Amino acid sequence: MYRSHYSKEITKTEYNSKVIVAGWVEDTRNLGSIAFLILRDKKGTLQLTILKKKIPELFEKFISLPRESVISVKGLCKENGKVRNGYEILPDSVDILSISETPLPLGVVDKVEADFDTRLDNRIIDLRKPETQAIFKIRNAVLAVAHEYLRSQSFLEIHTPKIIASSSEGGTDVFKLQYFEKEAFLAQSPQLYKQGLMATGLDRVYEIAWYFRAEEHNTRRHLNESTAIDVEMAFIKDEEDVMRILENLVHAMWKRASECTEELDILKKTVTIPKIPFPRLTYDYVVNKIQQRQSPIQWGMDFSTEDERLLGDIMKKEGIDFYFITKYPLESKPFYTMPSGDKYSRGFDLECKGVEISSGSQRIHDVTLLKERLKACNLNPQDFYAYLNAFRYGMPPHGGFGFGIERFLMELLEISNIRECILFPRDRSRLTP
Ligand code: AMO
């Protein structure tokens, strides 16, 4: 528990001295002549012990406080071995900062779990739960190490436009919006801009990016607004250079997560650090392997969720959680993906336990080939003229990846619904809160 006014935890040195603490009233228990109040902040809880005979008016104030009200209390911090955190506060005064309405739409510490929609409808209260907060504290920790790792490899953090003139991925799943007299789109990813930057000499960039995708499906692993770590790097030999950065990044993030012991304990999870390098399985190998297990997949088709799960099971039996799928058919990858011969591409996915958490590729850097591929994908090069311009005046070979942060957290913490991994999820039916 914080000594909130100073944002500092109470330590033994403060026993027998006056402290000020502030937070939310989690619970009160009135035993007639003595009352206990559990006060909560982001670090945990502490107990206030209030004796009626000491200051009767103060006692009345405390016992009439509705749960989740916000108070600041001044009192004596006293060692007490019977209290869970080893001390209690004997209050001298209280400032009532905000009275909570009753009844609460959602209990913070109720034993019975509210249904998921009620939790999301009341996300501000749901986010008071230690187990919900733990997810976002781990998210914070793994992103901190992502910044550290990428910067240590000379990547520069960038921020690219989210209101754009053409679809980033070439697909139709775009949110349209009115941009004064013109039609515009919300960016599906930073793809076109991070590639453009490869022509500037800023040869290694990354962005903690927003993806806006008007995908109709409402699944447990899709969001209409999600976040990703987007990376782009120039002067690569091939996609293998990109995959090495990605596996090192994942390894560093997974390792940092394993060090978040307090949060993992709250979530009752353990995290085992994976070994790198991750195996590289070619698309052809995977198709063959899952066909043997009765998958109806034919060469050239995308893997279905069921196919991915099947492969996840096969790999799990070999003790492998992470693996790349490489050398995808050209037709199954976006227009900017570098071909490898006529049929194959230099695109890859990174899978974790049967779920795609990242995809990337070496890109086409030759403008003529890029225009050809746009046309082959039924896209009009005219719509991409600003993107294509970046390739006309000297563009080095390059590649990169997009790595979904919520997907990563889902797999890391074995959370079955992706909506748990973002503060305020946006899906087919949810636009608020
Ligand atoms: P892709 O479309 O495969 O590639 O996305 C990259 C990663 O982002 C995550 N992701 C999503 N997470 C939740 N909900 C969604 N609707 C969603 N869509 C994608 C996944 C996925 O692996 N521009 C390329 C990347 C690149 O080549 O650099 C791209 O966006 O984890």
Side-chain angles (χ1 to χ4, degrees), residues 126-315:
D126 184 51
L127 281 162
R128 293 180 190 178
K129 292 172 189 272
E131 58 276 23
T132 314
Q133 288 196 359
I135 297 170
F136 294 96
K137 288 179 186 168
I138 293 174
R139 184 182 164 117
N140 175 64
V142 295
L143 283 180
V145 80
H147 283 285
E148 279 165 32
Y149 171 70
L150 290 168
R151 284 163 191 238
S152 79
Q153 299 300 306
S154 307
F155 285 88
L156 183 89
E157 186 177 8
I158 54 160
H159 301 95
T160 59
K162 301 298 159 224
I163 303 177
I164 60 174
S166 56
S167 110
S168 344
E169 298 295 325
T172 49
D173 299 327
V174 281
F175 286 112
K176 291 183 185 162
L177 61 100
Q178 197 61 36
Y179 191 70
F180 304 106
E181 295 76 31
K182 290 191 191 124
E183 184 177 69
F185 306 104
L186 285 181
Q188 291 161 299
S189 77
Q191 186 66 34
L192 307 185
Y193 290 90
K194 65 176 184 171
Q195 276 196 264
L197 286 168
M198 295 302 98
T200 64
L202 298 174
D203 58 359
R204 288 183 158 213
V205 299
Y206 77 99
E207 176 170 357
I208 308 294
W210 284 104
Y211 287 10
F212 300 99
R213 301 194 174 185
E215 291 157 345
E216 294 275 347
H217 43 240
N218 216 357
T219 77
R220 60 169 196 89
R221 55 184 189 173
H222 285 92
L223 292 164
N224 293 105
E225 184 181 71
S226 63
T227 60
I229 303 176
D230 258 78
V231 161
E232 202 67 21
M233 53 199 277
F235 299 105
I236 58 168
K237 192 169 140 287
D238 54 33
E239 71 275 29
E240 189 48 49
D241 288 347
V242 180
M243 286 152 64
R244 270 197 294 275
I245 292 288
L246 176 55
E247 67 194 349
N248 280 309
L249 173 66
V250 171
H251 186 263
M253 290 169 73
W254 214 265
K255 181 164 180 293
R256 178 65 59 89
S258 74
E259 292 157 10
C260 296
T261 46
E262 233 175 85
E263 288 75 25
L264 291 172
D265 282 350
I266 292 173
L267 292 166
K268 301 188 180 64
K269 300 283 176 195
T270 46
V271 167
T272 316
I273 307 164
K275 284 199 188 72
I276 44 173
F278 302 144
R280 276 83 165 137
L281 317 176
T282 63
Y283 172 88
D284 286 2
Y285 171 85
V286 173
V287 168
N288 196 280
K289 197 94 184 157
I290 59 176
Q291 274 173 343
Q292 287 169 18
R293 296 277 296 266
Q294 320 312 329
S295 163
I297 193 166
Q298 295 299 317
W299 194 92
M301 284 161 67
D302 266 341
F303 297 118
S304 66
T305 308
E306 184 50 30
D307 289 335
E308 283 185 284
R309 206 189 49 73
L310 195 60
L311 180 64
D313 289 348
I314 295 170
M315 298 306 285

Side-chain angles (χ1 to χ4, degrees), residues 239 327-330 334-347 362-365 369-370 372-373:
E239 71 275 29
K327 300 277 177 279
Y328 270 87
L330 189 55
F335 66 87
Y336 47 75
T337 312
M338 179 70 106
S340 173
D342 291 342
K343 274 168 62 183
Y344 294 95
S345 76
R346 296 196 168 276
Q362 180 177 354
R363 326 294 194 188
I364 297 170
H365 60 280
L369 179 57
L370 196 49
E372 271 173 33
R373 288 298 306 149

